[in-house]
Amino acid sequence: MKFTPKTLDAYKLMHEGILSLARAERNGIYCDVDYCKGMIKHLDRQMSRMESKLKDSEFITKWRQQYGQKFNMGSNTQLADMLYNVMGLEPTAYTAKGNPSTDADALSSIDIPEIQDMLRIKELEKAKTTYLEGFLREQVDGVIHTNFNLHLARSYRPSTDSPNLANVPVRNPEIKQIVRNAIKARPGHKLVCADFKGIEVGVGCPYHQDKNMITYVSDKSTDMHRDAAKDCFIISPEMWSGIVAEDKKNKTTYAKDIRQEAKGDFVFSQFYGDWYKSCAGSMWQASFALMVSAEQTLNQHLHKQGIKNLEKFEQHIQKCENILWNERHPDYTKWKKNWLITYEKNGYFDTLTGFRCSGVMDRKRVCNYPIQGSAFHIMLQCIIWLDEIMLKEGWDSRICNQIYDDIMVDCHPDEEQLVKDTMNHLMTTRIKEHWQWINVPLEVEFEQTGIDQSWYHKH
C-alpha cells in the first residue's frame, strides 16, 4: 500500500487518538463503591423473594406437571412449548430458524405474571453480576479505568472493555437507574456529555450524496423518522397531528414513542442492512405496547387498517421498504450497488478519512464500515483537539469516557460553560474546516448531571 497524504493523516489520527484516549483511561471515572455493595445485597434479597414466590405459582406448577423429572425452568425450548403449544398463545416474533421466539422482547408482551417475574429476575441478575460486580472488580480506589481500543475493529471504530461502559442498559428504566447510579464524577464535579446528533446519517451523505437524505439532514422542518412512522403504521397527516396534540395535552409520549420505534426498528435497521421481515417482526411486537391515544394501542389501529396479523404486516412493510429505497432514497441505493461492485473488484475500499478496509466482508459490512468508521473518526479528531486544549490551558476538567458518538467530561462547575463552548466549536465548526468533504451541518446535544450526582441523573 502506497503512502499518500491521506493515509499519513489517517496514521496520525490513530496515533494521536491512542494517546488522548490513554489519558482518558488514566483519568478514569468514579465508581460509588458503597452504593454497589449495598445494591448487590438488596438485589440478592429481592431476587430470592421473587424466586420463592415463582416456584409455587400456578404457571410453574403446570410446567412442572407437563415435564415431570425433565422440568427445567431455564429451558427456552420447554418455555416455548408451554406458551405456544400447551397454552396456545400466538407468537409475536420468530427466531432466524422460524421457531417462536422466547427472547426478552417477545416475552415482554405476554400477559402472564410469572413470565414477567422471570424476565425481571434475569434483568436484575444481569444488573448485579455483569455491571455492579463488574464495576467492583475493575475499580481501583473507587476509580474505573476503562480500556479504550482502537486496534480491534476492522471498521476502525473503537471498542471498550474492563468494563464496557458503552453497553450499560438504557431501555429498561429500572435497570438503567440501578446501574448508572454507580457512576459519577469526582467529588464537587459534574458529568457533561456532548453527543453528535445523527452523526452516522450525516456522515453517510458525503459517500452516497443522496439529495433527499441531504435535505432531511439539513432542513429541520423535515423528519425522515416521522415520515417512516406514517408509512409503516398507516398514519395519515391528520391523524398524526391528532396524536401529537393528544401527546401534548396528556403529557404522554404517544407520537414520540411511535416515531422512535420507526427510527430504530425500520429506518436505522434498513440503513444497517436489515430486511423487511425482520423489521416487521420487531415493529409488530412493539405495536402491542405503543399507544395512538389513551384508549387505543397501535396494534388496534393497524387492525382497523386491515393489518390483523404478522403476515399481513410483513407484506405491508415490504412495500414500505420499497418506498424507502426506490422512491425516497434512490441515490443511496445506487451508491450501495456501485460501492459493493468496486469492493468486489478491488478487494478493499478506502474511507474519506484515509483508512483502507480489506479482506472478506459481506454486503452489510461493505456498506456500513466506511460510514461507521468515518463517523467515529470525526469524534476522535474532536477528542484529540479537546485533550490538547485541556492540557495546554491547565483545565481542572478532564475527559473521562467515550461512548460511540458521545464525549463525557468530568467537569469542574466553574468551567462548565467553557467546556461546552469549546466542544461545540470543535464538533460543529473546526471539524468541517478540517475535513471539507463533510457536506451537511453537524449538531451537538449536551447533557449534564448536577454536582455530585450520578450518571443516571444526567439531563
Side-chain angles (χ1 to χ4, degrees), residues 22 38 58 77 87 136 227 332 334 358 366 379 400 428 431:
E58 181 181 353
T77 302
M87 302 183 66
L136 290 180
D227 292 347
Y332 195 168
K334 183 179 179 181
S358 61
V366 171
M379 170 62 76
C400 63
T428 63
I431 193 66

Side-chain angles (χ1 to χ4, degrees), residues 9 45 123 158 192 263 280 309 323 335 354 359 410 413 428 434 446:
D9 288 342
R45 293 192 296 268
E123 289 169 340
V192 173
K263 173 183 177 180
N309 53 49
I323 292 172
W335 172 80
D410 183 316
T428 63
H434 179 70
F446 287 96

Side-chain angles (χ1 to χ4, degrees), residues 30 184-190 396-398 410-412 452:
Y30 273 61
K184 53 177 58 177
R186 288 170 289 165
H189 289 64
K190 55 171 59 180
D396 182 63
S397 303
R398 58 185 65 170
D410 183 316
C411 180
H412 190 285
D452 293 329

Side-chain angles (χ1 to χ4, degrees), residues 330-436:
D331 297 331
Y332 195 168
T333 302
K334 183 179 179 181
W335 172 80
K336 288 198 299 182
K337 292 178 181 178
N338 292 336
W339 189 261
L340 181 61
I341 290 171
T342 302
Y343 159 75
E344 290 173 341
K345 177 182 177 182
N346 298 329
Y348 66 85
F349 57 80
D350 292 331
T351 70
L352 288 169
T353 49
F355 292 86
R356 175 163 292 183
C357 298
S358 61
V360 178
M361 290 177 274
D362 61 18
R363 176 181 58 84
K364 289 183 183 180
R365 291 181 174 87
V366 171
C367 294
N368 289 339
Y369 280 2
I371 295 173
Q372 293 173 347
S374 298
F376 170 67
H377 298 151
I378 287 175
M379 170 62 76
L380 183 60
Q381 182 60 72
C382 293
I383 289 174
I384 294 167
W385 288 332
L386 180 63
D387 180 55
E388 289 174 347
I389 293 171
M390 287 179 166
L391 290 173
K392 182 178 180 181
E393 298 184 1
W395 294 7
D396 182 63
S397 303
R398 58 185 65 170
I399 300 170
C400 63
N401 196 21
Q402 188 279 318
I403 300 177
Y404 301 126
D405 309 325
D406 188 311
I407 305 175
M408 184 182 292
V409 174
D410 183 316
C411 180
H412 190 285
D414 294 344
E415 295 175 346
E416 180 178 348
Q417 197 58 49
L418 174 63
V419 168
K420 289 181 178 179
D421 289 344
T422 302
M423 287 198 286
N424 188 66
H425 171 73
L426 297 177
M427 297 167 74
T428 63
T429 304
R430 185 173 173 182
I431 193 66
K432 290 194 69 175
E433 295 170 352
H434 179 70
W435 277 321
Q436 296 185 9

